[in-house]
Amino acid sequence: MQDLFDNNDMTGLAEAIKSGDVSAKEVLEFSLDRLDERNPAVNAVISERREEARNEVSGGLPEGPLHGVPFVIKDLGMDVAGLPSTNGSRLFADAVAEKDSTLVERYREAGLVVIGKTNTPEFGKNASTEPALFGPTCNPYALDRSPGGSSGGTAVAVAVGIVPGGHASDGGGSIRIPASACGLVGLKPSRGRTPTAPARTLFSSPMSVHHALTRSVRDTALLLDLSAGPTVGDPYVILAPKRPYIEEVGADPGRLRIGLSNTLPDGTPVDPECSAVTTSVAGLLEELGHDVTEGAPNFPLDALTAGLSVLMGIPMTIEVDERLEALNRAIRDDDLEPMARMIYDRAKSESATNVVKALQELERAAQVIGAFFVDHDLLLTPTMARPAAPLGLLDTANPMSIWEHSAGYSGLTSPFNSSGQPAISLPMGHDTAGVPIGVQLVGAFGREDLLIRVASQLEVARPWSIAPVWPPVPA
């Protein structure tokens, strides 16, 4: 069972279950044993549904393409009936969901078995996963390093082999950053590609989208096929793809025009280790027949700052106020971590004029950044400008630490949340300590198909290991 579980991605494991090589019950029990064995060392999964999962398997799962595959859900903006929806916050520690979110329903219809929810920083407002509520999640490649955030719990659950894939979300890099730090595939879809219901996301959805962290490109493509598409009331609806994304895996992308940038949007050079990995991938893309030239979009820094500072705070503040109303009390000093409290207090004083202006600036950012993709098919950058951070560096108890260091970790990912474009992180190298370094490919709005074609081309040309990282590397 160990070889089967560790040497297969989600697709391969589902095929083994379908062929009768192993049963869904056996796979589930192995995953739960892994949870017992490995989670204490890394703190990835923070709530469980063991008996519910067993009952679902014994009662008969839907015969979907991922029938019997264990899966986890990030504990941020996504409900699993019967489990807490904490958003990584002490204020929501006992807020138990009554029903599944739409995306979770779609995962279940595909045959996935949800075994629990994963750790996340409070309201996702950090590029590291270190909430006061549950404590830090550790990067298994180096236990004193961050797994990234805000989908760090899911990334580590996949990286150590508790599950072969899991749900994640991305409002400023929160899929791509953990993918880079933990050696996984992480695709942020285009705005509107996947549903967020019943969460009301008219103001946060311009930047935040949901998808997954996986071991392989084909799993990323298949999960997007299974989860994409609007639901009733979605504020943003995008054109459907011309064909299933799984058919893009291995498809010829043609000769592409790819821009290469090893600098942050403000022109600051990235760390040499990140630059070296990205430059090597640029050379590989040239060997594969693509035209790679140095160049990057014109990033309107003022517009990007306005979108992030206003629109990422207002929805959180509304959610906090609704929770306080339900509890019939005022906010207390220990309800929120200092970072979230600072965002909350600032958002309470924002005017309607500033909110509308921020939405307009978001639109301007998309227009300016998107212009680059008229003459370029893709943009290649490091996913992060620095190798994975030490735990404690991005400290929400000290908001100034976040402001000082955050650009090194989300500076190359967050602009494409503002523009709504799809972007994928691929595990293409390691730093001198052996911790993964990812590269980011960005496509024009709606072009997940092209990203999947090129990502699968790189996966074949320079394969990465899908084996779990265990035992973890001590500090």
Side-chain angles (χ1 to χ4, degrees):
M1 171 64 79
Q2 179 174 334
D3 287 344
L4 183 69
F5 199 88
D6 288 349
N7 296 320
N8 278 291
D9 58 3
M10 298 176 71
T11 302
L13 192 56
E15 290 171 350
I17 293 171
K18 184 176 181 179
S19 68
D21 292 341
V22 68
S23 70
K25 180 180 179 181
E26 290 172 317
V27 169
L28 173 60
E29 292 303 327
F30 187 84
S31 178
L32 294 177
D33 287 344
R34 277 280 174 87
L35 180 62
D36 288 334
E37 174 195 19
R38 302 187 175 184
N39 195 56
V42 292
N43 192 36
V45 179
I46 45 81
S47 63
E48 305 170 8
R49 54 189 310 277
R50 294 170 182 259
E51 293 309 313
E52 295 90 339
R54 288 177 172 129
N55 291 338
E56 288 162 7
V57 169
S58 62
L61 297 165
E63 292 297 331
L66 292 174
H67 174 93
V69 175
F71 199 70
V72 289
I73 304 295
K74 178 182 177 181
D75 192 21
L76 179 66
M78 195 58 50
D79 292 338
V80 176
L83 290 184
S85 289
T86 73
N87 300 315
S89 176
R90 292 169 293 193
L91 181 61
F92 289 79
D94 59 354
V96 177
E98 296 181 359
K99 61 176 296 186
D100 292 339
S101 294
T102 297
L103 199 56
V104 175
E105 292 175 349
R106 293 181 180 182
Y107 291 145
R108 292 189 192 277
E109 290 168 2
L112 289 168
V113 183
V114 176
I115 68 167
K117 299 188 81 175
T118 56
N119 205 10
T120 183
E122 188 171 39
F123 298 105
K125 308 300 184 190
N126 197 357
S128 185
T129 301
E130 307 177 43
L133 177 60
F134 296 114
T137 296
C138 302
N139 190 319
Y141 288 88
L143 288 174
D144 60 348
R145 302 273 286 275
S146 170
S150 61
S151 305
T154 291
V156 172
V158 177
V160 301
I162 295 172
V163 290
H167 160 264
S169 61
D170 192 316
S174 293
I175 289 174
R176 291 158 289 160
I177 293 168
S180 177
C182 296
L184 302 172
V185 178
L187 170 68
K188 180 196 83 70
S190 298
R191 180 178 299 147
R193 184 64 74 194
T194 57
T196 59
R200 292 159 293 160
T201 55
L202 183 61
F203 288 108
S204 60
S205 186
M207 289 170 287
S208 183
V209 292
H210 292 260
H211 190 37
L213 286 158
T214 70
R215 297 175 177 173
S216 69
V217 175
R218 70 174 181 175
D219 280 356
T220 286
L222 177 59
L223 278 170
L224 194 56
D225 283 327
L226 296 172
S227 60
T231 189
V232 175
D234 275 3
Y236 301 96
V237 178
I238 188 172
L239 289 175
K242 294 181 179 178
R243 61 179 181 176
Y245 290 114
I246 194 63
E247 294 182 15
E248 306 297 350
V249 177
D252 183 5
R255 184 169 183 164
L256 302 179
R257 304 161 299 170
I258 302 175
L260 166 65
S261 178
N262 275 311
T263 62
L264 284 159
D266 66 359
T268 303
V270 304
D271 183 272
E273 290 190 290
C274 298
S275 175
V277 173
T278 307
T279 301
S280 74
V281 173
L284 178 57
L285 287 166
E286 289 182 322
E287 292 175 13
L288 292 168
H290 302 297
D291 297 320
V292 182
T293 56
E294 290 193 11
N298 176 19
F299 293 103
L301 298 180
D302 55 342
L304 294 171
T305 300
L308 288 172
S309 63
V310 177
L311 298 179
M312 293 295 279
I314 296 291
M316 184 204 81
T317 299
I318 292 171
E319 194 170 4
V320 168
D321 283 346
E322 289 181 344
R323 175 65 174 164
L324 293 171
E325 183 178 353
L327 295 172
N328 193 31
R329 66 171 176 82
I331 193 167
R332 298 170 181 164
D333 289 343
D334 62 349
D335 281 335
L336 303 175
E337 297 173 38
M339 178 73 173
R341 184 58 189 262
M342 185 184 72
I343 294 172
Y344 175 83
D345 291 339
R346 177 177 177 177
K348 293 288 283 186
S349 64
E350 288 287 2
S351 67
T353 301
N354 284 347
V355 174
V356 173
K357 178 65 174 175
L359 287 168
Q360 291 175 338
E361 290 295 88
L362 198 72
E363 187 174 0
R364 179 165 72 90
Q367 292 168 347
V368 174
I369 294 171
F372 178 82
F373 294 86
V374 174
D375 299 319
H376 297 80
D377 299 299
L378 298 176
L379 172 67
L380 171 66
T381 74
T383 304
M384 296 191 290
R386 306 284 179 267
L391 285 171
L393 179 68
L394 299 171
D395 183 7
T396 58
N398 178 12
M400 293 311 298
S401 175
I402 304 292
W403 302 137
E404 180 181 356
H405 299 290
S406 62
Y409 303 99
S410 62
L412 287 165
T413 54
S414 61
F416 306 106
N417 294 85
S418 295
S419 66
Q421 295 170 237
I424 191 169
S425 180
L426 299 173
M428 301 302 291
H430 296 79
D431 66 16
T432 53
V435 178
I437 289 177
V439 302
Q440 176 179 236
L441 287 165
V442 185
F445 186 81
R447 293 309 308 269
E448 290 93 337
D449 58 341
L450 192 57
L451 288 178
I452 290 169
R453 289 178 210 166
V454 177
S456 64
Q457 193 179 41
L458 289 171
E459 186 178 30
V460 171
R462 188 184 292 177
W464 49 80
S465 173
I466 66 168
V469 184
W470 195 261
V473 179

